[in-house]
Short mmCIF file of all heavy atoms in Angstrom, two decimals:
data_model
loop_
_atom_site.label_atom_id
_atom_site.label_comp_id
_atom_site.label_asym_id
_atom_site.label_seq_id
_atom_site.Cartn_x
_atom_site.Cartn_y
_atom_site.Cartn_z
N GLY A 232 104.01 83.25 78.33
CA GLY A 232 103.30 84.06 77.36
C GLY A 232 102.69 83.26 76.18
O GLY A 232 101.47 83.54 75.80
N ARG A 233 103.40 82.36 75.75
CA ARG A 233 102.79 81.49 74.59
C ARG A 233 101.55 80.78 75.14
O ARG A 233 100.51 80.72 74.44
CB ARG A 233 103.84 80.49 74.12
CG ARG A 233 103.42 79.67 72.91
CD ARG A 233 104.24 78.49 72.71
NE ARG A 233 103.91 77.40 73.59
CZ ARG A 233 102.80 76.66 73.48
NH1 ARG A 233 102.01 76.86 72.49
NH2 ARG A 233 102.63 75.61 74.42
N LEU A 234 101.61 80.20 76.36
CA LEU A 234 100.51 79.37 76.81
C LEU A 234 99.25 80.32 77.14
O LEU A 234 98.11 79.84 76.83
CB LEU A 234 100.80 78.73 78.12
CG LEU A 234 101.90 77.50 78.00
CD1 LEU A 234 102.55 77.26 79.29
CD2 LEU A 234 101.26 76.41 77.47
N ILE A 235 99.47 81.54 77.58
CA ILE A 235 98.39 82.38 77.91
C ILE A 235 97.75 82.88 76.59
O ILE A 235 96.57 82.91 76.46
CB ILE A 235 98.90 83.59 78.83
CG1 ILE A 235 99.42 83.14 80.11
CG2 ILE A 235 97.69 84.58 79.08
CD1 ILE A 235 100.28 84.13 80.93
N GLU A 236 98.56 83.07 75.64
CA GLU A 236 98.11 83.62 74.32
C GLU A 236 97.27 82.36 73.74
O GLU A 236 96.19 82.53 73.13
CB GLU A 236 99.32 83.86 73.42
CG GLU A 236 98.99 84.34 72.08
CD GLU A 236 98.46 85.76 72.06
OE1 GLU A 236 99.06 86.65 72.76
OE2 GLU A 236 97.42 85.95 71.35
N ALA A 237 97.86 81.15 73.76
CA ALA A 237 97.16 80.03 73.17
C ALA A 237 95.83 79.63 73.92
O ALA A 237 94.93 79.08 73.26
CB ALA A 237 98.04 78.76 73.29
N ALA A 238 95.76 80.16 75.19
CA ALA A 238 94.41 79.99 75.83
C ALA A 238 93.35 80.98 75.41
O ALA A 238 92.32 81.22 75.96
CB ALA A 238 94.72 79.99 77.37
N GLY A 239 93.83 81.95 74.54
CA GLY A 239 93.02 82.95 73.98
C GLY A 239 92.79 84.15 74.87
O GLY A 239 91.80 84.92 74.75
N LEU A 240 93.75 84.34 75.72
CA LEU A 240 93.58 85.46 76.74
C LEU A 240 94.33 86.73 76.27
O LEU A 240 94.21 87.80 77.01
CB LEU A 240 94.00 84.99 78.15
CG LEU A 240 93.20 83.80 78.64
CD1 LEU A 240 93.68 83.34 80.00
CD2 LEU A 240 91.72 84.32 78.81
N GLY A 241 95.01 86.82 75.16
CA GLY A 241 95.83 88.02 74.83
C GLY A 241 94.74 89.17 74.66
O GLY A 241 93.77 88.90 73.89
N GLY A 242 94.96 90.24 75.26
CA GLY A 242 94.12 91.41 75.16
C GLY A 242 92.93 91.46 76.22
O GLY A 242 92.18 92.38 76.23
N ARG A 243 92.74 90.37 76.93
CA ARG A 243 91.50 90.30 77.84
C ARG A 243 91.63 91.48 78.94
O ARG A 243 92.78 91.76 79.40
CB ARG A 243 91.59 89.03 78.59
CG ARG A 243 90.43 88.79 79.49
CD ARG A 243 89.11 88.61 78.72
NE ARG A 243 89.01 87.48 77.87
CZ ARG A 243 88.52 86.25 78.35
NH1 ARG A 243 87.99 86.25 79.53
NH2 ARG A 243 88.42 85.25 77.46
N VAL A 244 90.46 92.13 79.02
CA VAL A 244 90.42 93.26 80.06
C VAL A 244 89.63 92.86 81.24
O VAL A 244 88.69 92.23 81.14
CB VAL A 244 89.79 94.46 79.36
CG1 VAL A 244 89.57 95.56 80.29
CG2 VAL A 244 90.64 94.97 78.18
N HIS A 245 90.10 93.29 82.50
CA HIS A 245 89.31 93.24 83.68
C HIS A 245 89.49 94.61 84.37
O HIS A 245 90.60 95.02 84.89
CB HIS A 245 89.77 92.15 84.57
CG HIS A 245 88.92 91.91 85.89
ND1 HIS A 245 87.90 90.95 85.81
CD2 HIS A 245 88.71 92.70 86.92
CE1 HIS A 245 87.19 90.99 86.92
NE2 HIS A 245 87.64 92.15 87.64
N GLY A 246 88.38 95.35 84.51
CA GLY A 246 88.51 96.65 85.14
C GLY A 246 89.58 97.53 84.28
O GLY A 246 89.42 97.67 83.11
N GLY A 247 90.55 98.02 85.12
CA GLY A 247 91.45 98.85 84.45
C GLY A 247 92.74 98.12 83.98
O GLY A 247 93.70 98.66 83.55
N ALA A 248 92.79 96.82 84.12
CA ALA A 248 93.93 96.00 83.73
C ALA A 248 93.73 95.18 82.53
O ALA A 248 92.48 94.77 82.15
CB ALA A 248 94.27 95.12 84.90
N GLN A 249 94.74 94.95 81.78
CA GLN A 249 94.64 94.17 80.45
C GLN A 249 95.73 93.27 80.34
O GLN A 249 96.94 93.67 80.53
CB GLN A 249 94.62 95.20 79.26
CG GLN A 249 94.41 94.43 77.98
CD GLN A 249 94.66 95.38 76.77
OE1 GLN A 249 95.42 96.30 76.77
NE2 GLN A 249 93.90 95.15 75.65
N ILE A 250 95.57 92.09 79.87
CA ILE A 250 96.57 91.04 79.42
C ILE A 250 97.02 91.74 78.09
O ILE A 250 96.33 91.93 77.17
CB ILE A 250 96.17 89.67 79.38
CG1 ILE A 250 95.71 89.18 80.69
CG2 ILE A 250 97.21 88.84 78.60
CD1 ILE A 250 95.07 87.60 80.72
N SER A 251 98.49 91.92 78.04
CA SER A 251 98.95 92.72 76.87
C SER A 251 98.70 91.87 75.63
O SER A 251 98.98 90.56 75.44
CB SER A 251 100.55 92.81 77.04
OG SER A 251 101.02 93.20 75.80
N PRO A 252 98.15 92.57 74.67
CA PRO A 252 98.03 91.83 73.22
C PRO A 252 99.33 91.53 72.63
O PRO A 252 99.37 90.76 71.83
CB PRO A 252 97.23 92.94 72.44
CG PRO A 252 96.90 93.97 73.41
CD PRO A 252 97.72 93.97 74.53
N LYS A 253 100.37 92.25 73.11
CA LYS A 253 101.70 92.08 72.39
C LYS A 253 102.47 90.91 73.03
O LYS A 253 103.18 90.13 72.41
CB LYS A 253 102.51 93.41 72.45
CG LYS A 253 103.88 93.34 71.93
CD LYS A 253 104.43 94.76 71.91
CE LYS A 253 105.89 94.79 71.20
NZ LYS A 253 106.48 96.10 71.11
N HIS A 254 102.39 90.86 74.33
CA HIS A 254 103.06 89.74 75.02
C HIS A 254 102.21 89.37 76.15
O HIS A 254 102.08 90.03 77.24
CB HIS A 254 104.40 90.42 75.66
CG HIS A 254 105.45 89.31 76.16
ND1 HIS A 254 105.01 88.23 77.01
CD2 HIS A 254 106.60 89.10 76.03
CE1 HIS A 254 106.04 87.55 77.40
NE2 HIS A 254 107.06 88.20 76.73
N ALA A 255 101.56 88.20 76.15
CA ALA A 255 100.48 87.82 76.96
C ALA A 255 100.95 87.54 78.48
O ALA A 255 100.18 87.42 79.38
CB ALA A 255 99.77 86.70 76.45
N ASN A 256 102.27 87.52 78.72
CA ASN A 256 102.63 87.23 80.17
C ASN A 256 102.81 88.67 80.84
O ASN A 256 103.24 88.76 81.97
CB ASN A 256 104.12 86.60 80.13
CG ASN A 256 104.35 85.98 81.53
OD1 ASN A 256 103.49 85.71 82.29
ND2 ASN A 256 105.60 85.57 81.77
N PHE A 257 102.46 89.74 80.10
CA PHE A 257 102.52 91.11 80.76
C PHE A 257 101.09 91.48 81.08
O PHE A 257 100.22 91.42 80.13
CB PHE A 257 103.19 92.22 79.84
CG PHE A 257 104.69 92.12 79.86
CD1 PHE A 257 105.40 90.84 79.54
CD2 PHE A 257 105.46 93.30 80.02
CE1 PHE A 257 106.83 90.95 79.53
CE2 PHE A 257 106.84 93.20 79.97
CZ PHE A 257 107.46 92.06 79.67
N ILE A 258 100.88 91.89 82.21
CA ILE A 258 99.56 92.44 82.54
C ILE A 258 99.74 93.96 82.73
O ILE A 258 100.52 94.47 83.56
CB ILE A 258 98.98 91.82 83.88
CG1 ILE A 258 98.66 90.39 83.54
CG2 ILE A 258 97.53 92.56 84.24
CD1 ILE A 258 98.10 89.59 84.81
#
Side-chain angles (χ1 to χ4, degrees):
R233 188 197 74 75
L234 290 164
I235 299 166
E236 183 71 47
L240 296 176
R243 183 67 66 92
V244 171
H245 186 101
Q249 182 188 34
I250 295 179
S251 167
K253 181 172 180 179
H254 189 317
N256 200 19
F257 281 53
I258 297 179

